[in-house]
């Protein structure tokens, strides 16, 4: 059954969130006086399903491109004068009332809420959407979007699954050229390699600063909460990267002066939320009950590679960086070394246990869990598996499970 685009007056229902208005220069972020003020602003932005940062960016006719997880070469989108925006569904802010007509029941929340955002006009400020072919759900979402969301330019990005062939990098370069052609038709500037080299440098710097933030969390986990770290990182996919870099520099300066307030807590690795994101309440709960999340798979876009060489052919270098990435998660069919990989990550993070945090009905994440558990069992490393949905409201069961997990390690 074809999904219906509702009239605009339908959008003011009980779940319609108040719309945050931001300046076109994003001075609210640059001027936030502290990490606390910045994370409060980020919380408001993330909770507003009308994408206030995109509305601010497009007010002067500039274009934005929605990038569905888990990977789009956002450097390329930026190089064409467009704002790449990481899409992470509707979170807790929207009711699903139209997307159910087009998508089955046993599917992850992010697919439904993203379609709901499109069907209810909340994604109207975007010029185009990129859906990487990471699973059957994302593949179908691109097709449904192209028919059900009028005026949207959509593109399915085919990412390689064979990383040993000499043809893999040329294949991906050809895919990127298809994306370039689509973005040029959607109003992006003409592709120029020198612009891409500049964008690659900018994104290299952003990843370096984000990696510094996660390194602080690992080395001194009482310096900032997981929620702060998450919100600061999440902002980076919603605002111009130049502004995010300014923010990160100020965050690092404040962190250097902050005490490392430690508590009795266990060090854990958070595995599984590489696509759909848990709610802020659940992220907060993990540390409330006595965990330090010293490494996590939230916001996967920052983790594929460190530095891309901007010299030579930047398009080929960008493709190479993705192909050579050592990241091995369920959406990438690398030869399986997952057992060894999780053990290495536990050791590197000095983690005492693993929390699998997987989106309900996310097959790629669930397949990983099976392989990881075997390796952890062999080494007697404790783990806990929690599933989440975007609109979960009650976490009493999760709280109990987490508390029991923490106590079993603390008092072992
Ligand atoms: S949450 Fe999982 S199943 Fe859903 S789109 Fe993402 S990878 Fe696919």
């Amino acid at each position: 059954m074809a999904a219906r685009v509702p009239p605009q007056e339908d959008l003011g229902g009980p779940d319609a969130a108040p719309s945050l208005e931001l300046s076109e220069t994003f001075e609210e972020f640059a001027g936030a006086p502290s990490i606390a003020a910045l994370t409060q602003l980020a919380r408001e932005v993330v909770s507003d399903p009308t994408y206030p940062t995109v509305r601010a960016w497009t007010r002067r006719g500039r274009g934005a491109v929605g990038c569905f997880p888990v990977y789009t070469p956002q450097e390329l989108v930026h190089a064409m004068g467009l704002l790449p925006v990481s899409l992470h569904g509707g979170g807790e802010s929207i009711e699903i009332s139209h997307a159910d007509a087009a998508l089955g029941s046993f599917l992850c929340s992010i697919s439904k809420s993203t379609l709901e955002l499109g069907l209810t006009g909340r994604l109207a400020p975007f010029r185009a959407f990129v859906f990487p072919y990471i699973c059957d759900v994302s593949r179908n979402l691109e097709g449904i979007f192209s028919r059900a969301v009028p005026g949207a330019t959509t593109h399915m990005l085919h990412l390689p699954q064979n990383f040993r062939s000499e043809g893999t990098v040329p294949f991906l370069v050809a895919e990127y050229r298809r994306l370039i052609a689509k973005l040029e038709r959607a109003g992006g500037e003409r592709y120029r390699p020198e612009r891409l080299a500049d964008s690659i440098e900018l994104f290299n710097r952003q990843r370096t600063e984000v990696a510094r933030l996660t390194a602080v969390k690992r080395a001194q986990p009482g310096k900032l909460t997981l929620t702060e770290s998450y919100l600061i990182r999440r902002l980076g996919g919603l605002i111009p990267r130049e502004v995010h870099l300014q923010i990160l520099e100020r965050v690092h300066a404040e962190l250097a002066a902050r005490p490392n307030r430690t508590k009795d807590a266990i060090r854990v690795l958070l595995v599984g939320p590489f696509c759909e994101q848990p709610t802020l309440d659940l992220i907060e709960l993990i540390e409330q009950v006595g965990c330090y999340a010293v490494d996590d798979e939230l916001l996967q876009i920052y983790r594929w590679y460190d530095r891309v060489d901007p010299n030579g052919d930047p398009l080929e270098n960008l493709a190479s960086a993705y192909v050579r990435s050592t990241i091995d998660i369920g959406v990438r069919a690398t030869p399986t070394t997952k057992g060894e990989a999780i053990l290495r990550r536990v050791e590197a993070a000095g983690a005492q246990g693993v929390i699998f945090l997987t989106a309900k009905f996310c097959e790629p994440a669930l397949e990983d869990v099976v392989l990881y558990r075997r390796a952890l069992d062999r080494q007697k490393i404790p783990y806990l598996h929690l599933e989440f949905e975007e609109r979960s409201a009650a976490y009493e069961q999760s709280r109990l499970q987490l508390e029991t997990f923490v106590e079993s390690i603390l008092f072992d």
Side-chain angles (χ1 to χ4, degrees):
M1 177 183 173
R4 181 185 69 92
V5 179
Q8 291 297 307
E9 57 268 23
D10 283 3
L11 303 181
D15 65 325
S19 298
L20 182 65
E21 292 302 329
L22 296 168
S23 67
E24 294 159 26
T25 54
F26 299 91
E27 61 199 20
E28 297 84 351
F29 300 96
S34 61
I35 292 176
L38 183 64
T39 50
Q40 177 53 34
L41 184 56
R43 189 183 284 272
E44 288 171 39
V45 168
V46 166
S47 306
D48 186 333
T50 66
Y51 282 87
T53 61
V54 179
R55 286 187 284 106
W57 171 263
T58 56
R59 215 172 286 140
R60 278 199 229 150
R62 300 175 291 193
V65 176
C67 307
F68 195 74
V70 291
Y71 181 74
T72 293
Q74 297 194 356
E75 296 90 334
L76 189 51
V77 178
H78 179 272
M80 299 179 73
L82 302 161
L83 178 69
V85 178
S86 296
L87 295 181
H88 286 293
E92 296 149 89
S93 314
I94 62 163
E95 292 282 357
I96 306 296
S97 46
H98 304 283
D100 277 340
L103 292 172
S105 311
F106 301 107
L107 294 179
C108 54
S109 320
I110 187 174
S111 58
K112 292 184 189 175
S113 65
T114 303
L115 182 59
E116 186 75 20
L117 289 172
L119 291 172
T120 53
R122 287 162 167 120
L123 299 180
F126 288 86
R127 288 229 185 123
F129 302 93
V130 181
F131 294 91
Y133 188 166
I134 50 170
C135 62
D136 287 345
V137 180
S138 73
R139 175 173 64 95
N140 286 320
L141 201 52
E142 191 274 337
I144 293 168
F145 243 72
S146 67
R147 285 191 288 280
V149 181
T153 295
T154 63
H155 182 76
M156 191 197 296
L157 178 68
H158 289 266
L159 294 169
Q161 295 294 347
N162 176 353
F163 298 97
R164 291 178 168 170
S165 163
E166 286 182 3
T168 303
V169 171
F171 162 81
L172 192 53
V173 169
E175 279 299 307
Y176 288 176
R177 290 203 180 281
R178 282 194 333 118
L179 174 61
I180 287 170
K182 193 75 85 68
L183 293 180
E184 282 179 347
R185 284 202 297 278
E189 292 166 19
R190 193 172 54 81
Y191 169 69
R192 284 184 289 150
E194 61 278 16
R195 287 285 305 272
L196 179 56
D198 290 345
S199 300
I200 284 175
E201 285 283 28
L202 177 70
F203 280 69
N204 280 343
R205 286 173 57 207
Q206 187 196 25
R207 272 191 305 276
T208 301
E209 294 303 316
V210 168
R212 272 180 73 198
L213 192 68
T214 50
V216 170
K217 184 68 187 161
R218 181 178 293 197
Q220 298 174 292
K223 279 231 175 198
L224 79 165
T225 65
L226 177 62
T227 307
E228 287 174 326
S229 159
Y230 174 73
L231 283 169
I232 292 166
R233 283 182 280 164
R234 178 106 180 240
L235 256 190
L238 295 167
I239 59 178
R241 304 316 188 260
E242 297 82 350
V243 179
H244 194 230
L245 265 173
Q246 289 172 24
I247 289 171
L248 287 167
E249 280 162 18
R250 283 211 337 277
V251 164
H252 285 303
E254 186 177 333
L255 283 180
R258 247 193 197 187
N260 180 26
R261 290 194 199 92
T262 51
K263 59 183 180 184
D264 261 355
I266 59 165
R267 294 171 65 91
V268 296
L269 184 62
L270 283 189
V271 174
F274 50 74
C275 183
E276 183 174 322
Q277 301 296 286
T279 62
L280 290 174
D281 283 348
L282 183 53
I283 288 174
E284 258 158 22
L285 181 65
I286 287 166
E287 291 208 324
Q288 263 174 23
V289 299
C291 298
Y292 281 134
V294 288
D295 190 8
D296 65 69
E297 285 184 356
L298 298 158
L299 304 168
Q300 174 64 26
I301 190 69
Y302 295 115
R303 299 178 56 244
W304 289 109
Y305 39 74
D306 297 330
R307 191 172 181 282
V308 182
D309 186 356
N311 303 308
D313 181 344
L315 199 59
E316 191 174 318
N317 294 347
L318 196 56
S320 256
Y322 180 80
V323 171
R324 301 216 169 98
S325 169
T326 54
I327 295 292
D328 188 5
I329 53 176
V331 291
R332 238 174 98 100
T334 45
T336 183
T337 52
K338 287 179 192 293
E340 291 159 39
I342 190 100
L343 295 178
R344 274 198 303 275
R345 286 177 60 198
V346 166
E347 189 179 351
Q352 296 161 274
V354 173
I355 297 179
F356 295 114
L357 205 52
T358 60
K360 209 164 178 186
F361 305 121
C362 175
E363 281 186 18
L366 291 170
E367 281 165 13
D368 279 354
V369 172
V370 175
L371 297 167
Y372 291 151
R373 282 170 64 155
R374 280 191 209 136
L376 296 173
D377 283 337
R378 274 199 303 276
Q379 297 298 319
K380 298 194 176 0
I381 295 169
Y383 56 82
L384 172 70
H385 186 185
L386 299 176
E387 287 192 309
F388 64 87
E389 287 184 284
E390 285 181 342
R391 284 189 62 83
S392 306
Y395 290 108
E396 279 323 297
Q397 180 73 8
S398 302
R399 176 184 287 279
L400 267 177
Q401 289 175 282
L402 281 163
E403 284 172 349
T404 309
F405 181 64
V406 170
E407 282 170 17
S408 71
I409 294 177
L410 273 183
F411 305 117
D412 189 17

